[in-house]
Amino acid sequence: MPQPRSEIEEVFHSLLKNLNTAKLKLSESELVSSDFHSLFNTIQTDVLQLKSLLIEENQLTKTPSQTRTTMRSSSAIETKTDTTPQFVASNESTRDCASMSGVKFTIDYLEAHVKQCLLCLAIFPEGAVIRKQQLIHWWIGEGFVPDTEVGNGCCEELMYHGLIVPVKKEYSDEGHAFRMDPSIRWQVVEAAKENNFLEIDPQGNPIVGTTGHLVLIKGLDRVRVRVRSMRGSGGQGLMSVYNVDQQYVHLDKSWFSGQRKLGTVQLGRCIGFREHHTELLKEWELKRIGACRNLRYLSLRGISKIESLPDSIGDLYNLIILDLKACHNLEKLTTAVTTLQKLQYLDVSECYLLDQMPKGLGRLINLEVLKGFVVGSSQSKDPCRLIELSRLDKLRKLGISIGRQSVATDDELQQLAGLKDLRCISITWGVVASDKKQSLAYSGTVKTAESVTDMRLYLPPIIEKLDLHCVPFREFPEWLSPTNLAALKKLYIRGGMLETLGAETGWGVEVLRLRYLRNLKCDWDAVLSLFPRLRFLENRKCQNLASWPCNAEGIWQKLD
């Protein structure tokens, strides 16, 4: 009696996982010949084929005799694979077909929400590097996942099945992006068509019909066609507007007016690790966005010509993610943002013309990520103070910008230590606009007022990552010590006046990145004494540290 389908799937998922792990370990060994790699590829293809055949065994259209014949055929193929290597070469197209059949099976039997997440990848061109964070934000906007944690789980499952491959930055152990194999991408494109998720042209590019997804890719004329077809299609209305790689985006009032199902609007480009400059044409149409009451994800990342957000953004009471990173013309953040009670993610980093944050951010009690918080100056009119952040009990990541004229009392600074969920904090000095005439360009020279230099910070002892930019101090201040930061695993210091790494030993730091510190001097033996648990170090353009045993790229790694 055959096993239930769920048990069969579980057995083969486990087998595939073990094969992938074994293949990875073998690939790291120089002693393994190419024959072994070929053998593992053959076994993996056989498993995928056998998996499909066993599933067919349980279908009602199969008779017992047909089932036995199928199983015998499968066994014969496996036997010939092991004993007759020539069979593999002469039947390569058959094996490719079997492999693709296995991929299709895997896609078909994904959980519903994971499958929906996968189908989103059909919009990206072949070979594209897809940013993980922005894709998860899209999934949240579509309602496929409720939060980032579940989104990360979906990514892990897709990697587990081999449908996506992580892409890591050089010398980084974290995968912030991924890509798809071209053959798997075509399977995903076909699945998107079959499930009416997207309409795809013969070249594999998404087009807009009745599915509700407006995808922006290169070619202004094509975008206008898509907008007209959407307006006249009689479909269900827009559900998402997603810019893949278009530099000039023509806003149209039809994108927002009456679009009650619209959950995602990403107007900044999203491919690759680099930030891309994007321009909005007819940017005044953005004021209509308040009508999209179901909007959960809004990204204007990297878009110029936006000096302020419309007050109508306060009507987006379902908004969860607001990404305004690198909006270089943004001068003011409207107080309407403080009414977005469901907001979990707010990024205004690299908005260098912002000189204060709107008072009332402390009301955003669901906020988990806040990047680019600007500490106001004495000239700021009723700004948000650091003390308000003490109400954000769910805050996990925080980025702070301290300008030359920033003012914060000792009582305010002490409130940071009370953020018990905070695990990652980034602090930048000296790049906040003191007036609207300040240039957008940053020369790297730190000019910090004496009061800011002496500012004592109180950080939660549980933080695991600390990223410091343009440090104004020459020596480690009292608050920057292993005693105060016992849980710290990653320490990044980029630019500034630092001359020494301090004298207090016992750091638990495992990853240390030092960049553009031309005044820093420290012997290598002292580094190992200060950071006894160090396993990775980056030394980039620190001219006095040339004697350190780093490679040509400035990298040192501890050998296990």
Side-chain angles (χ1 to χ4, degrees):
M1 184 175 181
Q3 299 181 48
R5 176 180 295 171
S6 58
E7 294 183 17
I8 293 175
E9 290 184 70
E10 186 64 32
V11 169
F12 279 92
H13 285 332
S14 177
L15 180 56
L16 281 171
K17 182 179 180 181
N18 291 333
L19 282 170
N20 287 331
T21 301
K23 183 177 179 182
L24 178 62
K25 290 183 177 180
L26 286 171
S27 67
E28 295 173 350
S29 173
E30 296 180 357
L31 301 177
V32 180
S33 68
S34 60
D35 293 338
F36 263 94
H37 293 290
S38 177
L39 176 60
F40 266 87
N41 287 331
T42 300
I43 294 174
Q44 192 169 26
T45 301
D46 285 338
V47 170
L48 289 170
Q49 183 183 31
L50 184 58
K51 185 176 180 180
S52 297
L53 293 173
L54 285 175
I55 293 303
E56 291 175 5
E57 179 187 24
N58 285 327
Q59 294 178 357
L60 295 177
T61 56
K62 290 281 186 181
T63 65
S65 61
Q66 288 175 317
T67 297
R68 287 192 292 271
T69 302
T70 301
M71 290 300 295
R72 284 197 298 271
S73 300
S74 177
S75 300
I77 291 173
E78 286 187 301
T79 303
K80 288 186 178 182
T81 301
D82 291 335
T83 59
T84 313
Q86 292 84 358
F87 179 85
V88 178
S90 62
N91 291 276
E92 187 173 334
S93 60
T94 302
R95 290 197 172 279
D96 289 343
C97 182
S99 179
M100 288 303 99
S101 176
V103 171
K104 185 178 188 306
F105 165 81
T106 300
I107 294 174
D108 289 343
Y109 281 88
L110 289 172
E111 291 184 61
H113 74 285
V114 179
K115 184 176 181 179
Q116 291 282 70
C117 291
L118 176 65
L119 298 184
C120 291
L121 301 179
I123 74 169
F124 297 98
E126 185 174 309
V129 175
I130 305 163
R131 296 178 186 174
K132 176 181 175 182
Q133 183 186 69
Q134 287 179 281
L135 187 65
I136 291 177
H137 286 172
W138 181 16
W139 294 346
I140 293 174
E142 292 278 359
F144 299 154
V145 298
D147 52 41
T148 301
E149 183 177 357
V150 178
N152 282 324
C154 289
C155 287
E156 290 176 4
E157 183 164 352
L158 294 177
M159 286 188 287
Y160 167 80
H161 290 298
L163 298 171
I164 59 175
V165 179
V167 177
K168 299 178 181 179
K169 292 183 179 180
E170 191 174 14
Y171 300 110
S172 174
D173 56 356
E174 299 178 0
H176 296 293
F178 48 81
R179 58 161 52 97
M180 283 191 298
D181 182 89
S183 59
I184 291 178
R185 177 184 176 271
W186 277 106
Q187 291 286 331
V188 174
V189 168
E190 289 300 314
K193 291 162 60 178
E194 291 174 5
N195 290 271
N196 199 34
F197 184 82
L198 284 174
E199 290 191 23
I200 310 290
D201 66 18
Q203 288 72 42
N205 297 315
I207 58 177
V208 174
T210 59
T211 61
H213 300 287
L214 174 58
V215 181
L216 307 178
I217 59 177
K218 289 181 180 178
L220 296 179
D221 292 336
R222 296 178 65 185
V223 172
R224 290 170 180 153
V225 170
R226 287 194 179 95
V227 171
R228 286 200 296 269
S229 64
M230 172 60 70
R231 293 170 67 182
S233 65
Q236 60 182 329
L238 277 175
M239 299 174 66
S240 65
V241 177
Y242 204 90
N243 184 9
V244 176
D245 57 359
Q246 189 175 103
Q247 182 175 358
Y248 300 96
V249 177
H250 290 255
L251 286 184
D252 190 278
K253 62 181 180 182
S254 66
W255 294 9
F256 306 132
S257 299
Q259 301 294 352
R260 298 181 180 180
K261 295 185 178 181
L262 186 60
T264 292
V265 173
Q266 175 166 306
L267 299 180
R269 289 182 283 178
C270 64
I271 287 183
F273 289 113
R274 294 175 55 249
E275 296 297 337
H276 297 279
H277 171 74
T278 309
E279 288 188 23
L280 291 185
L281 306 179
K282 298 185 178 180
E283 67 274 8
W284 56 86
E285 296 290 356
L286 199 61
K287 66 183 180 182
R288 301 176 185 270
I289 203 168
C292 307
R293 303 298 173 85
N294 194 50
L295 196 66
R296 291 179 288 270
Y297 170 38
L298 173 60
S299 174
L300 305 176
R301 173 185 287 239
I303 294 180
S304 60
K305 293 187 177 181
I306 298 179
E307 297 181 358
S308 63
L309 295 181
D311 290 339
S312 61
I313 200 172
D315 296 329
L316 304 177
Y317 47 78
N318 283 311
L319 196 65
I320 298 174
I321 299 156
L322 179 57
D323 189 350
L324 305 173
K325 181 178 180 178
C327 290
H328 295 314
N329 294 102
L330 187 65
E331 299 179 358
K332 181 180 179 182
L333 191 60
T334 174
T335 56
V337 169
T338 65
T339 66
L340 304 175
Q341 293 296 308
K342 294 185 180 181
L343 202 64
Q344 298 176 12
Y345 182 103
L346 175 60
D347 189 351
V348 289
S349 59
E350 299 181 32
C351 297
Y352 299 127
L353 291 184
L354 281 179
D355 58 5
Q356 69 178 66
M357 302 298 285
K359 186 176 182 180
L361 283 183
R363 294 196 292 267
L364 304 179
I365 57 174
N366 289 306
L367 208 58
E368 298 179 7
V369 177
L370 174 57
K371 299 180 180 181
F373 181 93
V374 179
V375 180
S377 68
S378 57
Q379 283 79 36
S380 301
K381 296 181 179 179
D382 204 21
C384 179
R385 294 294 183 185
L386 282 172
I387 196 169
E388 284 199 52
L389 302 187
S390 63
R391 306 173 196 168
L392 307 179
D393 295 332
K394 298 181 181 180
L395 203 61
R396 296 182 293 105
K397 294 183 179 181
L398 174 63
I400 298 176
S401 295
I402 302 174
R404 295 192 293 269
Q405 300 178 21
S406 295
V407 175
T409 66
D410 197 60
D411 289 341
E412 286 183 84
L413 295 170
Q414 289 186 38
Q415 299 300 319
L416 294 177
L419 297 173
K420 301 188 182 301
D421 282 347
L422 194 63
R423 293 295 182 271
C424 177
I425 184 167
S426 174
I427 305 173
T428 303
W429 285 269
V431 292
V432 179
S434 58
D435 58 63
K436 295 182 181 180
K437 295 181 180 180
Q438 182 169 338
S439 171
L440 287 176
Y442 174 58
S443 64
T445 303
V446 178
K447 299 178 180 179
T448 313
E450 186 70 24
S451 60
V452 175
T453 307
D454 296 336
M455 186 181 292
R456 175 183 170 85
L457 299 178
Y458 299 83
L459 304 183
I462 56 174
I463 65 169
E464 299 171 356
K465 179 179 177 181
L466 178 60
D467 195 350
L468 305 177
H469 296 250
C470 310
V471 294
F473 40 79
R474 291 178 170 82
E475 299 179 351
F476 274 15
E478 182 181 351
W479 55 267
L480 186 55
S481 70
T483 303
N484 295 329
L485 303 173
L488 195 66
K489 301 298 181 186
K490 298 181 179 182
L491 176 60
Y492 301 172
I493 307 177
R494 318 183 197 204
M497 302 171 63
L498 192 66
E499 297 178 357
T500 175
L501 295 176
E504 189 171 351
T505 61
W507 283 98
V509 170
E510 298 176 0
V511 179
L512 178 64
R513 295 183 184 271
L514 305 172
R515 298 181 181 179
Y516 312 110
L517 299 170
R518 61 183 180 181
N519 299 323
L520 180 61
K521 297 179 181 180
C522 187
D523 294 333
W524 178 246
D525 290 340
V527 172
L528 297 181
S529 176
L530 292 169
F531 304 95
R533 299 183 184 179
L534 195 65
R535 60 178 178 83
F536 177 94
L537 179 140
E538 179 186 15
N539 166 21
R540 180 176 297 183
K541 295 189 178 181
C542 300
Q543 58 193 36
N544 295 324
L545 310 180
S547 63
W548 287 10
C550 301
N551 63 18
E553 287 76 31
I555 301 298
W556 172 88
Q557 289 180 290
K558 184 177 182 180
L559 298 177
D560 293 331

